Amino acid sequence: MRAAFYDSQGPAAEVLRIAELDDPVPAAGEVRVRITVSGVSPGDTKKRAGWPGSPMVYPRVIPHSDGTGVIDAVGDGVDPARIGTRVWTFGAQSYRAFGTAAELTCLPQELSVLLPDGVADEVGACLGIPGITAHRAVFADGPVAGSVVLVQGVLGAVGSLAAQLAKWGGATVIGTCTRSADILAASSVAHHVVALDGPDPASAIREFAPGGVDRVVEVSFSDNLALDVAVLADNGVIASYATRHDPATIEFWPMAFANVTLRMLGSDDFPAAAKQHAAEDLTAAAADGALTISVAEVFPLARIADAHDRVDSGGRGRVLISVTGVADTGE
């Protein structure tokens, strides 16, 4: 099989290589997926770059946890009827060396989820890391029907899915964006949008939620905590999956008097049951047509270094790699 891999950490163009490797064989409890589209997330590029806390655990890594494809072989203990089914994957390279940036990947069967007819491969390849993180941020503390959910950074990969999942779950969603110029784009995924460059974002949020917001999905804990506390209802939850500065300073007493719950989210280590619940809900929401995902660019496998650089440069929209599926050109 053709695969992309790195055996040392560093800049994408210096460490990522493409080569023919032996076809993997599924172990007991595993499925083998012939990958069509591989999704690239910031976590993938940070592992490759050697971001703090992401050491080179394995001598060789095939990157990326998310993808879509078709199961073409199964290991012992897996129903052979799964062969030929179209799936989306998550966690393929979570505590494992072999991800989805290859024509074939083997992974535990529970990490491959039936992709409904009518849901594009490109959508399925975007559900894993951001979708499961978004689901946990929104639903970890129970249903949200009738609640008000504030999603900070609503145009990001996690934020956009969090807003759409919260709407799907029956919540009123307020999203924030960095600039007033982005309000129109953000309004496609949230009921109400507030720009953080406005004169008084807290008052603007309170106009849509006079009683305060029940839950906050937070992309930058260090930057937005004061605003979150200012608009949070008593007994509210702040679920944060990222921060710009670490350590971050908090003011204890305002949160204590409001009985605020702080929930920190590291997607690789969510409980297995939470991941499965998220996978089920993401699949159902995608089948319902409730999830719209913006794709910035699709690269062929041979240009994986360019894809990683595109992710690291920032900007809106997901970055994908076509492995054996559509748009696999330029090689």
Side-chain angles (χ1 to χ4, degrees):
M1 68 170 186
R2 283 174 75 242
F5 64 91
Y6 56 91
D7 48 26
S8 63
Q9 294 170 305
E14 295 180 15
V15 301
L16 285 168
R17 299 166 56 195
I18 308 287
E20 289 285 339
L21 303 179
D22 291 339
D23 290 355
V25 177
E30 291 187 338
V31 297
R32 186 173 72 183
V33 180
R34 185 167 294 276
I35 297 294
T36 54
V37 180
S38 178
V40 191
S41 292
D44 299 319
T45 68
K46 289 174 180 176
K47 289 179 182 178
R48 182 264 307 151
W51 191 65
S54 300
M56 191 76 188
V57 178
Y58 306 100
R60 171 174 289 176
V61 173
I62 296 174
H64 307 169
S65 282
D66 303 341
T68 51
V70 176
I71 294 175
D72 74 349
V74 298
D76 291 343
V78 180
D79 186 352
R82 295 205 70 187
I83 295 175
T85 58
R86 186 166 159 262
V87 295
W88 64 274
T89 71
F90 66 94
Q93 208 264 299
S94 174
Y95 296 110
R96 301 175 69 256
F98 306 108
T100 65
E103 291 178 330
L104 297 167
T105 192
C106 294
L107 69 166
Q109 64 169 328
E110 64 271 17
L111 303 184
S112 64
V113 186
L114 181 68
L115 187 63
D117 292 340
V119 179
D121 282 359
E122 291 79 6
V123 171
C126 295
L127 296 179
I129 289 175
I132 289 174
T133 302
H135 185 276
R136 183 83 172 147
V138 172
F139 295 112
D141 295 278
V144 295
S147 300
V148 180
V149 175
L150 172 66
V151 179
Q152 297 272 30
V154 75
L155 287 174
V158 175
S160 175
L161 284 171
Q164 294 176 80
L165 286 169
K167 288 168 71 174
W168 180 73
T172 297
V173 178
I174 304 170
T176 68
C177 55
T178 304
R179 304 176 306 157
S180 298
D182 293 330
I183 287 178
L184 181 59
S187 65
S188 65
V189 293
H191 293 109
H192 311 288
V193 181
V194 171
L196 296 181
D197 64 355
D200 189 352
S203 294
I205 291 168
R206 284 280 186 177
E207 286 185 15
F208 298 122
V213 303
D214 300 294
R215 298 186 194 176
V216 179
V217 177
E218 184 53 73
V219 65
S220 186
F221 184 81
S222 59
D223 290 353
N224 297 329
L225 181 60
L227 174 59
D228 295 340
V229 174
V231 300
L232 200 64
D234 285 354
N235 302 298
V237 177
I238 300 171
S240 183
Y241 58 93
T243 190
R244 190 158 68 98
H245 299 298
D246 188 21
T249 301
I250 68 171
E251 293 187 34
F252 176 80
W253 289 116
M255 287 188 287
F257 292 143
N259 286 279
V260 172
T261 295
L262 295 180
R263 178 176 288 280
M264 304 304 178
L265 304 172
S267 62
D268 280 351
D269 298 303
F270 292 164
K275 293 180 182 180
Q276 290 302 313
H277 182 201
E280 292 168 4
D281 278 358
L282 285 160
T283 301
D288 288 347
L291 303 180
T292 299
I293 296 174
S294 172
V295 175
E297 195 165 355
V298 182
F299 292 85
L301 184 62
R303 294 183 58 202
I304 186 172
D306 292 334
H308 276 223
D309 288 342
R310 175 67 176 77
V311 170
D312 288 340
S313 70
R316 293 185 210 155
R318 295 299 308 279
V319 174
L320 304 175
I321 291 176
S322 177
V323 181
T324 57
V326 296
D328 195 10
T329 60
E331 304 196 30

